[in-house]
Amino acid sequence: MDVVHLLPDNVANQIAAGEVIQRPASCLKELVENSIDASATRIQVIVRDAGKTLMQVIDNGKGMSPTDVRMAFERHATSKISNASDLFHLHTMGFRGEALASICAVAQVEVQTRREEDEMGTRLLINGSDVISQEPCSCPVGTNFKVKNLFYNVPVRRKFLKTDQTEMRNILTDFYRIVLVYPKIQFTLIHQDEIVLDLTAGTEKQRIEAIFQHSPRQSFTSQLLDIRCDTDLVSIRGFVGKPEAAGKNAQQYFFVNGRYMRHPYFHKAVMTAYQGMLQAEDNPSYFIYFDIDPEAIDVNIHPTKTEIKFSDEQPIFQIILASVREALGKFNIAPSLDFDTKGKIDMPVQTQAPRPGQLERPVTTRNTTYNPFKAHAIHLPATDWQPMYEKVAEAEQSLFADLDEIGKCYQYAGRYILLNTRKGLMVVDQHRAHAHVLYTTYYHQMEQAQSVSQQLLFPEVWEITLEDTILVEQIRYDLQQVGFDLEQLDKTAYSVLGIPPRMEVSAAIATLQQMLDDVRDTDTNVRENCRRKIALRLAYETAIPYGKILSDDEMEQLIKDLLSLPDYRTSEDGKTVVSFFLSEEIEKRF
Ligand code: ADP
Ligand code: MG
């Protein structure tokens, strides 16, 4: 008996859908691109539950005939190319005829569509590739797509969808990549009956402003410089950010022939142009649009891939580099820059608390071959190591008993607290120790919902991007529990009315921003992880800094607080807080 057979269409479509439609964002992208290809000038997107329940795209494009709309859902059905050579003269976003077939395989789809020349439109219902009904209907010219309950028939895929916040962020990310290329098309994005974006037709610059402007008070595009360069090989135009506006939340976009692309090599060209103008961690924003003969790029790319191959990447690298340099130089920015990098050199004694990421080892001389808590202790001969380790563990266990006898604490190098214990010398990192204690307090505060806040006389304004507002709302309650009292000012700004008790007003906004960055990529167990990250960030920000001279009482209190923690040796982020030098180990040195 022969065993090879073709898969039924609906099964084949479902498999293919796995590639094209990974999440609500990719489904919406396909629908919106189809509307653009249909020459729509107005596109409205309506989303429920981050697209899991409903994604609706309404356009005023050319619509479809009753036969075409039925055909459109077949695999490889497209009106956009007819033969292979068409591939090299593409002017549309789609061309493979895969998207609709894939979408209808994994969702419940309803379409209403009408062409200008038709009196009546068509209404078509498809559930998981099965056509349920097709009938004439009256509807406006254009197409109205509803995609409901994505992956309703593929529970495994549905289960793997992320939280609404994450899926909505993905939708926005993809949406930006499209609307930035089509400023002449009017777009609206509505989520849970609220208008998230309302973009009127205009220029590229106006579109960028409408999306990234932080608030009516702060123009985004005034921080951009124009670039433009026309060569036989490629035309480049767009905008690059002024170096002084560079920061952590840079917006970086490349588009080629009307399509978003990622291109690490060209990115490097842009960054090279900025060389010497940026502080270490800062990134410039850029929006660069390439126009190139479609034959010079690999067009037959997969719809979900954003990386595009060019046949002449090296000369284009040089063109980008020169254009960006010219834009930066034109305004005489380069010579006037004088960044102070000296402040960043790590000093053994610092007067300010460094950021957690910057906690460097102090310049001290000590024997690093012996530390019973680190893996490198294994370098000791095995025979020595085992009993030594046991002794340290024992010493620690008896610490509580020893505590009354500790007596005086000594501060060393403005960073460490030294303590005599019966078994040896205990060395405590003062900043980490305090951060460790505070972390526990903050985390507990969030769990217990005990809010303590110092109210500000003059509220600070915290400006964020529209994307980030979703994130802020997600962690707002926890921020409140540790003392951040926020009030929404407008779509992209919060008024900070209160901050945590030990915090400096001047550090509040930067800390909030860092907290946001910390939790940005948190996906699983969101609540728990966010809390940990918020508590940790805040703890480091408000802990006793290095270089601060401590009184005997302060040191004693800190040590007591520290030792009352279940695991006082290691911080939440895995740093060593306490180290021991056993008496025997010290004696061996003499
Ligand atoms: P592709 O876009 O690659 O051609 P799709 O599966 O996305 O494949 O769409 C199939 C066809 O359906 C398109 O070629 C187009 O003719 C038609 N179509 C899809 N969406 C629309 C729309 N919003 N308006 C008009 N025609 C559409
Ligand atoms: Mg398409």
Side-chain angles (χ1 to χ4, degrees):
M1 196 177 98
D2 297 331
V3 289
V4 176
H5 58 93
L6 285 172
L7 287 172
D9 270 359
N10 60 338
V11 178
N13 285 344
Q14 233 185 59
I15 293 170
E19 275 183 62
V20 187
I21 308 298
Q22 289 132 338
R23 46 176 18 95
S26 36
C27 174
L28 263 182
K29 170 177 173 287
E30 295 293 339
L31 293 178
V32 172
E33 287 183 348
N34 278 347
S35 296
I36 292 170
D37 287 344
S39 316
T41 56
R42 206 178 57 238
I43 299 172
Q44 196 182 7
V45 177
I46 300 168
V47 173
R48 266 208 176 275
D49 305 321
K52 294 172 187 170
T53 313
L54 172 73
M55 287 173 277
Q56 185 173 10
V57 176
I58 307 168
D59 69 47
N60 64 349
K62 59 181 180 235
M64 285 172 272
S65 74
T67 334
D68 280 350
V69 67
R70 181 73 172 262
M71 263 301 278
F73 287 91
E74 297 295 327
R75 173 151 305 274
H76 306 306
T78 179
S79 55
K80 298 169 193 175
I81 58 169
S82 336
N83 54 52
S85 70
D86 287 350
L87 274 176
F88 298 99
H89 314 282
L90 274 176
H91 296 287
T92 54
M93 307 198 77
F95 58 85
R96 305 169 145 248
E98 275 184 334
L100 293 187
S102 300
I103 291 170
C104 80
V106 292
Q108 297 161 331
V109 177
E110 178 187 335
V111 201
Q112 289 186 37
T113 184
R114 180 163 78 86
R115 297 182 303 176
E116 178 119 55
E117 61 264 43
D118 298 333
E119 198 131 304
M120 289 294 274
T122 310
R123 181 164 174 273
L124 177 65
L125 283 182
I126 301 181
N127 282 358
S129 299
D130 290 336
V131 177
I132 306 292
S133 69
Q134 174 163 7
E135 63 204 11
C137 74
S138 54
C139 59
V141 172
T143 305
N144 182 341
F145 252 102
K146 278 189 202 168
V147 176
K148 294 183 208 160
N149 305 320
L150 186 67
F151 301 135
Y152 79 104
N153 53 351
V154 202
V156 202
R157 305 276 315 273
R158 191 160 173 97
K159 213 172 74 193
F160 277 102
L161 291 178
K162 303 270 167 67
T163 60
D164 284 6
Q165 283 88 350
T166 305
E167 294 299 351
M168 197 57 204
R169 257 188 289 147
N170 287 326
I171 288 177
L172 272 175
T173 302
D174 279 2
F175 198 72
Y176 288 171
R177 291 174 180 178
I178 297 175
V179 300
L180 282 169
V181 202
Y182 294 95
K184 302 245 159 14
I185 302 178
Q186 187 191 329
F187 287 95
T188 323
L189 174 64
I190 295 172
H191 185 218
Q192 317 291 51
D193 298 324
E194 274 203 50
I195 296 179
V196 179
L197 281 170
D198 190 8
L199 304 169
T200 51
T203 62
E204 272 151 5
K205 216 168 193 173
Q206 286 165 335
R207 180 61 47 101
I208 292 171
E209 186 73 57
I211 295 174
F212 298 113
Q213 169 204 46
H214 291 281
S215 73
R217 291 172 300 282
Q218 198 183 350
S219 156
F220 181 82
T221 47
S222 65
Q223 301 295 324
L224 297 180
L225 305 165
D226 288 23
I227 65 163
R228 159 138 238 146
C229 177
D230 294 303
T231 67
D232 290 345
L233 184 60
V234 65
S235 286
I236 296 176
R237 68 205 158 73
F239 315 96
V240 295
K242 294 180 184 169
E244 66 265 31
K248 265 189 123 179
N249 289 320
Q251 303 296 336
Q252 303 183 327
Y253 291 88
F254 284 131
F255 302 101
V256 58
N257 296 354
R259 183 185 276 279
Y260 171 82
M261 71 161 176
R262 258 174 49 78
H263 208 294
Y265 184 59
F266 293 168
H267 171 76
K268 204 167 149 222
V270 177
M271 296 307 284
T272 310
Y274 278 91
Q275 226 161 44
M277 297 185 183
L278 301 175
Q279 307 251 34
E281 287 168 30
D282 288 347
N283 271 309
S285 289
Y286 59 76
F287 302 84
I288 299 178
Y289 300 79
F290 298 79
D291 272 306
I292 189 161
D293 181 352
E295 295 198 28
I297 53 174
D298 177 8
V299 284
N300 193 13
I301 39 148
H302 193 271
T304 60
K305 293 242 169 70
T306 49
E307 286 187 28
I308 293 183
K309 278 218 112 12
F310 287 61
S311 33
D312 291 306
E313 302 205 327
Q314 248 203 316
I316 298 178
F317 183 101
Q318 296 304 332
I319 294 169
I320 299 169
L321 177 59
S323 317
V324 178
R325 272 205 179 132
E326 193 196 336
L328 296 175
K330 232 184 221 163
F331 293 80
N332 230 357
I333 286 166
S336 68
L337 281 176
D338 184 21
F339 285 119
D340 175 24
T341 50
K342 289 196 193 80
K344 292 211 158 183
I345 292 171
D346 187 43
M347 306 289 218
V349 174
Q350 291 177 334
T351 47
Q352 272 194 341
R355 307 237 166 285
Q358 286 180 308
L359 289 180
E360 296 296 335
R361 282 188 178 280
V363 184
T364 51
T365 46
R366 62 178 181 134
N367 180 0
T368 52
T369 57
Y370 181 64
N371 178 343
F373 301 107
K374 289 240 167 97
H376 61 231
I378 291 165
H379 295 315
L380 286 174
T383 44
D384 277 7
W385 180 77
Q386 190 55 30
M388 196 65 88
Y389 181 83
E390 274 162 14
K391 273 181 195 143
V392 170
E394 198 182 299
E396 280 188 14
Q397 262 167 22
S398 59
L399 248 181
F400 285 106
D402 285 353
L403 207 54
D404 295 340
E405 303 162 34
I406 285 172
K408 198 165 160 46
C409 301
Y410 299 87
Q411 193 176 16
Y412 169 67
R415 285 181 89 107
Y416 300 106
I417 299 170
L418 310 182
L419 276 120
N420 271 321
T421 71
R422 223 184 316 171
K423 303 267 163 55
L425 180 65
M426 176 171 156
V427 183
V428 178
D429 182 309
Q430 69 184 47
H431 177 64
R432 289 181 187 178
H434 195 215
H436 195 26
V437 170
L438 289 176
Y439 167 81
T440 315
T441 315
Y442 293 137
Y443 189 79
H444 190 70
Q445 255 171 279
M446 285 189 268
E447 268 189 324
Q448 306 290 310
Q450 310 166 323
S451 169
V452 209
S453 175
Q454 55 166 318
Q455 293 297 303
L456 297 183
L457 213 47
F458 303 104
E460 299 270 310
V461 175
W462 179 27
E463 317 236 14
I464 54 176
T465 64
L466 193 61
E467 275 175 298
D468 280 348
T469 47
I470 298 170
L471 210 55
V472 174
E473 286 309 315
Q474 195 180 337
I475 59 172
R476 189 160 163 187
Y477 180 76
D478 285 327
L479 290 176
Q480 192 190 325
Q481 297 316 314
V482 289
F484 285 107
D485 188 0
L486 304 179
E487 188 183 275
Q488 189 149 21
L489 269 185
D490 54 41
K491 267 190 176 173
T492 55
Y494 286 84
S495 184
V496 183
L497 306 172
I499 60 176
R502 288 176 206 80
M503 173 151 274
E504 299 281 338
V505 181
S506 57
I509 300 294
T511 308
L512 278 168
Q513 192 58 49
Q514 282 160 356
M515 288 173 168
L516 210 55
D517 295 336
D518 288 345
V519 301
R520 195 180 306 280
D521 298 316
T522 303
D523 252 347
T524 50
N525 201 356
V526 176
R527 195 54 177 276
E528 171 78 3
N529 271 332
C530 288
R531 282 184 174 173
R532 282 179 195 283
K533 285 180 172 165
I534 290 169
L536 191 65
R537 172 68 70 177
L538 194 60
Y540 278 115
E541 287 298 329
T542 52
I544 297 170
Y546 291 123
K548 180 160 190 247
I549 305 305
L550 303 174
S551 72
D552 288 355
D553 287 348
E554 285 171 327
M555 286 192 276
E556 198 182 317
Q557 189 58 49
L558 177 55
I559 298 299
K560 278 191 175 145
D561 290 345
L562 178 68
L563 295 181
S564 70
L565 302 178
D567 181 10
Y568 58 85
R569 281 193 282 127
T570 325
S571 68
E572 172 65 18
D573 53 341
K575 297 199 173 96
T576 304
V577 178
V578 175
S579 203
F580 281 95
F581 294 86
L582 285 185
S583 309
E584 288 165 64
E585 182 60 18
I586 296 171
E587 276 160 25
K588 270 193 200 153
R589 293 164 185 250
F590 297 96

